[in-house]
Amino acid sequence: KTTDTATNLSTDVVTTPQVSGATEIKNFSYVSSSTSALVEYIQFTNQLPKSVMAQLNLRIEKEAREMFNTNKKELVETVKGFLDTNSPLDGRDLIEELKIDSVYVNTDTGIASVAQEGYSDTGGAHGSLSYRSSLYDLKTGKDLKLTDLLIGDYEKKLTAYIKDQIINQTANCKNCAELGGDMDPLITDVISNSFVLDGQGIMFLYGAYALGPYSATAGGQGIYVPKET
């Protein structure tokens, strides 16, 4: 028996400054005897003009549904491939999950920052952690990028700062001890495309393999850059 539902999970979000009930978390989910697919997404409940909120919510839900349908289809096809080749799963569940990691709604800047943590296990040697983030302009409903927020020659400065946090294993670098103070010279994407704004700075998020071998990055890394940096 399988279930394929969209349900409301929670209304608890972290907001800066504190905004009561600014968003709610919903999800699309699918569960069978050997697969599990889940995509969580947010819906805004206030703090936006009604017309903007309606369009933005519709777009977010559509993107989540498309991602969910793709993941579900791939999982079902992967299981079929195992069965067709008589390859046993040995009780192992194949998983594609994308959960809300954090939500920050800042009414002063009119920006909402959302981070999602993904986990994928499609039958390989091990599962893999990843991150995905979104940034919304609450006045227009449009997506924002890092380039919309930072000015000047920030790339060189950010790259140097992030490398310093990794090498010196500072308090601003979550799980950096696993990297052992090493920085692979072949890694060029030091500034992650996944990040969260909390009003006081930027937390850059790195999934498995982003900053090194799986043994050091399986749990992911987070590097915080304070606003005054």
Side-chain angles (χ1 to χ4, degrees):
K1 184 179 179 181
T2 64
T3 59
D4 191 349
T5 58
T7 50
N8 181 31
L9 289 182
S10 171
T11 56
D12 295 327
V13 298
V14 179
T15 60
T16 310
Q18 186 66 32
V19 180
S20 177
T23 65
E24 61 180 2
I25 300 175
K26 295 187 175 183
N27 78 68
F28 294 107
S29 65
Y30 169 84
V31 179
S32 73
S33 58
S34 55
T35 60
S36 175
L38 173 72
V39 173
E40 291 183 354
Y41 62 99
I42 69 163
Q43 293 284 271
F44 290 94
T45 55
N46 61 41
Q47 304 304 316
L48 283 79
K50 288 187 177 180
S51 59
V52 172
M53 184 169 66
Q55 293 179 10
L56 182 56
N57 283 343
L58 193 63
R59 178 161 59 85
I60 292 173
E61 182 179 13
K62 180 182 177 182
E63 291 174 355
R65 183 185 293 276
E66 289 175 350
M67 189 179 304
F68 168 75
N69 288 335
T70 298
N71 291 348
K72 175 186 171 183
K73 180 181 178 181
E74 291 178 353
L75 281 178
V76 172
E77 290 177 350
T78 300
V79 170
K80 184 178 183 300
F82 273 98
L83 296 176
D84 289 345
T85 57
N86 295 317
S87 301
L89 286 170
D90 295 327
R92 180 177 178 180
D93 289 338
L94 303 187
I95 301 171
E96 284 282 4
E97 293 183 343
L98 189 64
K99 296 182 178 181
I100 297 296
D101 180 76
S102 56
V103 178
Y104 292 91
V105 178
N106 192 315
T107 54
D108 289 341
T109 61
I111 292 175
S113 182
V114 182
Q116 293 166 292
E117 181 179 290
Y119 181 77
S120 175
D121 185 348
T122 55
H126 50 69
S128 184
L129 177 76
S130 63
Y131 288 101
R132 183 176 183 271
S133 65
S134 303
L135 204 59
Y136 304 108
D137 185 327
L138 299 182
K139 296 177 181 179
T140 65
K142 294 181 179 180
D143 292 334
L144 295 174
K145 299 179 181 179
L146 199 59
T147 52
D148 297 319
L149 306 177
L150 302 179
I151 60 175
D153 189 17
Y154 70 86
E155 289 189 22
K156 290 182 179 179
K157 294 179 181 179
L158 267 181
T159 298
Y161 181 87
I162 291 171
K163 286 184 176 180
D164 180 72
Q165 305 308 299
I166 294 172
I167 294 171
N168 294 296
Q169 302 176 38
T170 70
N172 281 338
C173 192
K174 177 184 175 184
N175 293 341
C176 274
E178 282 80 355
L179 296 171
D182 292 330
M183 187 70 203
D184 190 336
L186 297 178
I187 296 175
T188 56
D189 296 328
V190 177
I191 302 175
S192 175
N193 289 324
S194 298
F195 57 88
V196 183
L197 299 179
D198 67 0
Q200 301 303 316
I202 307 174
M203 172 68 85
F204 289 97
L205 303 168
Y206 302 84
Y209 296 108
L211 293 176
Y214 184 79
S215 58
T217 63
Q221 273 78 32
I223 301 175
Y224 191 71
V225 182
K227 195 179 198 177
E228 64 271 14
T229 300

